[in-house]
Amino acid sequence: MNRPSPSPDTLPAAPLWRRAWQPLKLLASRLWGTRMVWGFVRGDGVFLPNTRISNTSEVFDRPALDVGDHVFIGHFSVLDASGGLHIGEGCQIGFFTGLFSHSSHAAIRLYGRAYVSTPEKQAYFRAPVSLGPYCFVGAHATLLPGTRLGKGCIVSAYSLVSGEFPDFAIIAGNPAQQVGDTRRMDARLLAQHPELQPHYLAWAGALPNAVDEVQA
């Protein structure tokens, strides 16, 4: 039997020993090679027992990362929280992905050698990135600053994503576009496995309509 997970509103604050152990645990795990590490202490001190992050992934400005529980962040990914990064509950981030909330390519050309010595730069773009709950980001995908995904979205592998996308969008391409709606697949699967409907309702809020009623 699966044990019930704590509500997102009742997740415990991490004690001081766990906050100190978190970065050491990631480093120590590298002695055993590439692996997923269970448990994550968020910047506000909340402990997320079911969030897993690879010991090969990098998080820029870790205290600013706003992440929910039950999140999976795969190997060799880069998460840039410097401009604001929200990853909702249950999201899965595939291998070799990049989520970026700032862009410096214009500023480096304008400033040249003065770039590193200029604290406040012009043409240095920051915009938050947000993923709604239970999104899936495929391997080698890149999300650019300002990207916002609704809940239950799928980003196909190798996609270059920018802009806003609605709940349950299937997103693919370079540049990425919405190419479908995950509720078509969800409706079929829930018809085959009706016992899973309560789990789906718990995060989606409603069951998907009949397949022919869901807009692609």
Side-chain angles (χ1 to χ4, degrees), residues 44-146:
D44 60 1
V46 169
F47 177 58
L48 306 172
N50 300 296
T51 287
R52 296 91 75 201
I53 182 171
S54 170
N55 60 4
T56 62
S57 288
E58 294 292 336
V59 181
F60 301 155
D61 199 356
R62 183 179 290 262
L65 175 62
D66 177 22
V67 61
D69 202 13
H70 298 274
V71 166
F72 175 96
I73 298 170
H75 303 314
F76 304 105
S77 292
V78 175
L79 278 65
D80 166 27
S82 65
L85 177 56
H86 169 76
I87 301 175
E89 178 185 280
C91 287
Q92 294 188 327
I93 310 299
F95 301 167
F96 297 97
T97 58
L99 279 61
F100 299 102
S101 59
H102 86 277
S103 175
S104 59
H105 70 84
I108 189 67
R109 295 194 307 277
L110 296 178
Y111 284 93
R113 294 171 182 168
Y115 178 87
V116 294
S117 61
T118 305
E120 296 295 331
K121 303 174 181 65
Q122 301 298 320
Y124 188 97
F125 181 62
R126 293 183 188 271
V129 172
S130 177
L131 281 66
Y134 293 90
C135 288
F136 179 89
V137 179
H140 295 274
T142 299
L143 274 60
L144 298 179

Side-chain angles (χ1 to χ4, degrees), residues 157-183:
Y158 290 94
S159 296
L160 180 64
V161 186
S162 179
E164 299 192 14
F165 295 87
D167 295 346
F168 305 104
I170 299 175
I171 302 157
N174 183 352
Q177 303 178 50
Q178 182 175 356
V179 297
D181 191 307
T182 63
R183 289 170 293 187

Side-chain angles (χ1 to χ4, degrees), residues 4 14 22 24 28 36 77 88 133 142-143 150 167-168 175 190 205 207 212-213:
Q22 176 74 31
L24 296 176
M36 301 302 299
S77 292
T142 299
L143 274 60
D167 295 346
F168 305 104
L190 288 169
L207 294 173
D212 58 355
E213 296 177 1

